[in-house]
Amino acid sequence: MQSTQKNREDNNSSRSRSESPLSQEEQERRKKLPVYEKTLEEKIMSKKIKAVEKDRLIKVFNALIQLEPKRVEQEMDGNKTTDGDTKLGKQKRKKSNEPKFSAKAIYAMMKKLKYTPIGDEVERMIWEIDEDLDEQISWYEFQLMFKRCIKDTSYLEPRGLFNFVQFLMYAYDKEAIKNTITVEDTLELLYVRCGRQNLDGEIFKIFGQDEKTADGQEKEITYSEYLAQMKKKDFNNWTELENKKKKYDPSKEQNINKKD
């Protein structure tokens, strides 16, 4: 009995020694160990977007998927895994079965919008965000493109596909996509992203001074008109940012710091 109690005491004492706080040297050593840092892409993808935006984004992605040729859908339906597949085989099949859309879907959607692309405009949209260079856009690449552009403050991110997708998000109405948009179509998405204080300014950048026609009807704009406004907006934002950079003089800040 006594020997058992003694063994327990010895075990408790050894446990307490092993659980003692780290020495100062060990703490310093651990501080110097490399810490994993997220890549810029991982940081962007970790950003949350409002539920309303995500819901509309999913609907637009699915609408583009549906415009892919049936040949692709049949291939995707055929790539089903079986119980006998190896883990690697399942991973390859899962990747090949991932929903994607290509330039063909964009051409088909633009036709619905009654818009004629110029030169390699559509191919450039795909190329700018095609991370794995398979000439198709996956849901991951689609989200990454959207999050990059809405968080971009340098106005240097490629916005070809973003402007197209944003118009489709505004134009989505009752399980269908219209070929024109009105102020009312944009209100919900602009409000959740920009807030009430910036709402009027954003509407002006899209529709201009007049929100109604001469006969009092709500103004409607096509994708072509919307795209022209967005290019103008992006150029003005970039110009304003560059002017601010030119006005900023680092030497003045250094002089202030020296006085302090």
Side-chain angles (χ1 to χ4, degrees), residues 190-236:
L190 288 177
Y191 180 79
V192 297
R193 186 186 304 166
C194 308
R196 180 64 188 91
Q197 67 276 16
N198 298 316
L199 186 60
D200 293 337
E202 292 300 314
I203 290 173
F204 173 79
K205 290 173 184 177
I206 297 174
F207 294 92
Q209 188 67 41
D210 300 319
E211 297 179 13
K212 294 185 179 295
T213 60
D215 58 356
Q217 297 295 318
E218 193 169 18
K219 184 178 180 180
E220 296 183 20
I221 63 172
T222 63
Y223 173 63
S224 180
E225 293 170 320
Y226 172 82
L227 185 58
Q229 288 293 95
M230 289 303 97
K231 287 181 177 180
K232 180 180 177 181
K233 170 192 169 184
D234 292 339
F235 178 75
N236 289 340

Side-chain angles (χ1 to χ4, degrees), residues 5 12 23-24 27 62-63 70 104 116 122 131-132 140 159 184 196 205 223 253:
Q5 186 175 356
N12 288 337
S23 65
Q24 185 67 29
Q27 290 181 36
N62 286 335
K70 290 183 179 179
K104 292 179 181 178
T116 304
V122 173
E131 298 291 324
D132 56 8
Y140 177 86
R159 289 176 176 263
E184 187 177 352
R196 180 64 188 91
K205 290 173 184 177
Y223 173 63
E253 186 174 319

Side-chain angles (χ1 to χ4, degrees), residues 131-243:
E131 298 291 324
D132 56 8
L133 301 178
D134 64 350
E135 299 182 352
Q136 298 178 91
I137 303 303
S138 66
W139 171 237
Y140 177 86
E141 292 167 331
F142 198 67
Q143 290 182 90
L144 182 61
M145 170 275 298
F146 186 78
K147 290 182 177 183
R148 271 178 172 163
C149 288
I150 62 173
K151 303 295 182 182
D152 177 40
T153 55
S154 66
Y155 305 105
L156 295 175
E157 282 290 341
R159 289 176 176 263
L161 188 60
F162 173 78
N163 287 331
F164 180 65
V165 168
Q166 188 69 87
F167 180 87
L168 297 179
M169 290 171 71
Y170 294 142
Y172 198 93
D173 179 49
K174 297 178 181 178
E175 306 305 318
I177 292 178
K178 307 182 298 179
N179 58 15
T180 60
I181 60 172
T182 64
V183 172
E184 187 177 352
D185 293 327
T186 66
L187 288 178
E188 185 177 27
L189 290 174
L190 288 177
Y191 180 79
V192 297
R193 186 186 304 166
C194 308
R196 180 64 188 91
Q197 67 276 16
N198 298 316
L199 186 60
D200 293 337
E202 292 300 314
I203 290 173
F204 173 79
K205 290 173 184 177
I206 297 174
F207 294 92
Q209 188 67 41
D210 300 319
E211 297 179 13
K212 294 185 179 295
T213 60
D215 58 356
Q217 297 295 318
E218 193 169 18
K219 184 178 180 180
E220 296 183 20
I221 63 172
T222 63
Y223 173 63
S224 180
E225 293 170 320
Y226 172 82
L227 185 58
Q229 288 293 95
M230 289 303 97
K231 287 181 177 180
K232 180 180 177 181
K233 170 192 169 184
D234 292 339
F235 178 75
N236 289 340
N237 286 337
W238 179 82
T239 303
E240 183 180 350
L241 183 64
E242 288 300 303
N243 288 336

Side-chain angles (χ1 to χ4, degrees), residues 7 36 49 62 93 95 128 142 200 239 245 259:
N7 289 335
Y36 172 75
I49 58 176
N62 286 335
R93 286 176 182 269
K95 186 174 182 180
E128 286 173 343
F142 198 67
D200 293 337
T239 303
K245 289 179 180 178
K259 290 178 181 178

